[in-house]
Amino acid sequence: MAGRGIAAAVLIIGAWSGLLAYLVAFYKPDWHSPAPYLLALLQTHLYTGLYITGHDAMHGVVSPNKRLNTTIGTVATLLFAYNWFPRQLPKHHDHHRHVGTAADPDFHPEHHPGFLPWLLRFAWNYVTWWQVLLMAVTYNVLKRYFPQANVIAFWMIPAVLATLQLFFFGTYLPHRGEHEAGNRHKSRSQLRHHVWAFVSCYFFGYHYEHHDQPYLPWWRLWKAKA
């Protein structure tokens, strides 16, 4: 499993980096065709994969070598809009320890269960001013050397869309509303459909299974779905 975890991480990071370099530096989009929009969606999916890789590293399942696991997690989360792995790590474990309570950084109080208030609280807990500053600096550097439309369409917008994707499928849908009294993880799973589960959020729609077996990497999570 160790070799597969590293291979999956390298594949996602390499695919994200390679496609981004091509789309920003060499691709000449025809905005009247569906191709650039589909490529932007593909880049969004790879962005999501970056964070899922970082998330797996938070659970120590990318590599049994702790230093390598942390390095891969740090690289993956940094590439995703400069998220900082050492800061995200304790917050994510707080989510698992205190799921669905006031001590859960991913959870929204019951009296404000709507999507937008929850998203704003989520962003407040996770987004830092230096991330925004680094994104702004990087954008201004990139647009000096590459077409501005490409930078926006294939670097900035996919990052925003992937953030919404991760929140919607990995936090909001699994944890919103009431849960059965015996649901100790206070989470639910999407219906069993492996293709859609992968496309939507790398199987993280199978969220109860993730909380129940957090030692499973994303690429094995589908096997736990009954």
Side-chain angles (χ1 to χ4, degrees):
M1 187 179 77
R4 292 183 183 180
I6 296 169
V10 170
L11 178 62
I12 289 173
I13 293 171
W16 178 87
S17 302
L19 183 59
L20 180 65
Y22 168 70
L23 293 176
V24 169
F26 304 106
Y27 184 56
K28 296 180 179 179
D30 175 5
W31 300 109
H32 299 290
S33 80
Y37 305 98
L38 293 174
L39 287 168
L41 289 176
L42 176 58
Q43 189 66 11
T44 298
H45 185 67
L46 293 171
Y47 255 111
T48 301
L50 287 179
Y51 196 84
I52 294 296
T53 299
H55 166 273
D56 273 6
M58 293 174 197
H59 287 285
V61 298
V62 172
S63 171
N65 182 305
K66 187 175 180 180
R67 180 174 295 180
L68 179 58
N69 182 81
T70 300
T71 298
I72 292 174
T74 301
V75 170
T77 52
L78 273 175
L79 292 175
F80 192 114
Y82 296 107
N83 283 288
W84 184 232
F85 184 84
R87 182 176 183 273
Q88 301 262 316
L89 179 61
K91 283 181 173 286
H92 186 66
H93 284 285
D94 281 344
H95 166 62
H96 276 264
R97 279 193 295 266
H98 308 293
V99 62
T101 70
D104 177 1
D106 292 14
F107 188 67
H108 201 283
E110 289 84 350
H111 55 284
H112 290 299
F115 177 81
L116 186 57
W118 194 335
L119 175 63
L120 292 175
R121 182 181 185 272
F122 186 83
W124 179 262
N125 281 336
Y126 282 96
V127 179
T128 63
W129 65 267
W130 61 265
Q131 278 182 266
V132 177
L133 178 61
L134 285 172
M135 288 291 286
V137 169
T138 304
Y139 166 72
N140 280 283
V141 171
L142 288 174
K143 74 175 187 177
R144 289 175 60 88
Y145 298 99
F146 307 109
Q148 185 177 19
N150 290 34
V151 173
I152 293 172
F154 304 119
W155 180 68
M156 291 185 68
I157 291 178
V160 174
L161 292 178
T163 300
L164 293 174
Q165 180 180 2
L166 285 159
F167 173 75
F168 185 72
F169 291 105
T171 298
Y172 179 70
L173 287 183
H175 295 296
R176 66 177 178 149
E178 298 294 326
H179 301 279
E180 297 82 0
N183 187 336
R184 62 193 179 96
H185 299 303
K186 297 181 182 178
S187 59
R188 64 180 60 83
S189 291
Q190 67 182 69
L191 295 177
R192 189 175 185 271
H193 192 299
H194 297 329
V195 174
W196 172 241
F198 170 70
V199 170
S200 61
C201 202
Y202 290 77
F203 303 115
F204 264 71
Y206 299 155
H207 208 75
Y208 183 92
E209 289 75 15
H210 166 59
H211 275 262
D212 195 52
Q213 301 178 69
Y215 50 82
L216 289 179
W218 69 264
W219 43 271
R220 290 183 60 200
L221 194 54
W222 65 275
K223 294 183 178 180
K225 180 64 176 174

